[in-house]
Amino acid sequence: MAMPEKGDTAQHKRDMKTYQNWEKKDRSARFKMLNYMHNDLIGQFEGYQTAQEMWNALKLTFMAPNAKMVDHLRKMSAMIRKSKVAGNNLSDEQQILIVLRSLPDSWDQMMTHNESIKTFAQLSHHLKLEAERQEAKGNASMFVADAKSSEHKGS
């Protein structure tokens, strides 16, 4: 909702009151959503201007096909941050190795050496994309299997 332009009419006063009520409810909703988040997520989502924007970002992050990978990376990021707070600053290379070692064995074949990945953020992005690709590949395989099964039943 956009703030009404300046005016002095009765309609403007009603519009302004409606806007102020909406703004108060929106601020309350944003605060409640942030209040229920883990501390390591607050910084990622507090910059959204409205509760609707924040909700959309949360859905994209945690309801996407790669939500398991996103959750894993969030936990790894929190672990790295806690390590830093404890005085153990890990180099970018150490952070990348820790994350790679934390992946399931099934990811070994997918993770080829990529010289362009130099930071945790770059690795995180790469892994999210790979998780999406694997999800799409799995869905495509299921579709092909369903199509073959339907074709076989029809013949």
Side-chain angles (χ1 to χ4, degrees):
M1 181 173 214
M3 184 174 185
E5 294 185 23
K6 292 187 177 187
D8 207 16
T9 64
Q11 179 64 42
H12 176 266
K13 290 178 183 175
R14 285 191 299 271
D15 291 346
M16 192 59 160
K17 184 172 175 106
T18 300
Y19 174 78
Q20 289 169 340
N21 285 336
W22 171 83
E23 187 177 41
K24 183 178 178 182
K25 289 178 183 177
D26 184 70
R27 192 173 335 138
S28 175
R30 284 182 67 245
F31 176 77
K32 285 177 184 174
M33 283 192 282
L34 289 169
N35 191 42
Y36 284 103
M37 288 182 193
H38 291 279
N39 290 340
D40 59 319
L41 288 176
I42 292 173
Q44 184 179 348
F45 293 98
E46 68 185 347
Y48 290 95
Q49 298 301 307
T50 66
Q52 183 66 47
E53 289 175 7
M54 187 184 298
W55 178 248
N56 290 339
L58 284 163
K59 284 194 310 189
L60 280 174
T61 302
F62 294 104
M63 295 180 186
N66 64 349
K68 290 179 184 175
M69 180 55 70
V70 170
D71 191 44
H72 177 72
L73 291 169
R74 181 180 63 80
K75 290 174 185 173
M76 295 303 295
S77 177
M79 183 198 71
I80 291 167
R81 194 171 30 264
K82 287 176 184 176
S83 179
K84 185 177 182 178
V85 168
N88 185 15
N89 287 329
L90 300 170
S91 69
D92 287 334
E93 186 177 321
Q94 288 172 317
Q95 292 176 22
I96 289 171
L97 287 173
I98 288 169
V99 173
L100 290 176
R101 289 178 184 152
S102 74
L103 295 174
D105 292 338
S106 62
W107 276 70
D108 287 347
Q109 63 198 23
M110 294 175 246
M111 293 304 301
T112 57
H113 187 64
N114 189 333
E115 292 291 329
S116 66
I117 296 176
K118 305 266 188 230
T119 66
F120 174 82
Q122 291 169 340
L123 178 62
S124 180
H125 178 70
H126 178 75
L127 289 171
K128 288 175 189 176
L129 291 175
E130 185 62 31
E132 287 175 5
R133 189 181 74 75
Q134 287 300 314
E135 180 70 22
K137 183 179 171 184
N139 288 341
S141 297
M142 288 186 334
F143 177 76
V144 169
D146 287 346
K148 285 182 179 178
S149 175
S150 298
E151 185 179 292
H152 180 68
K153 288 178 185 176
S155 56

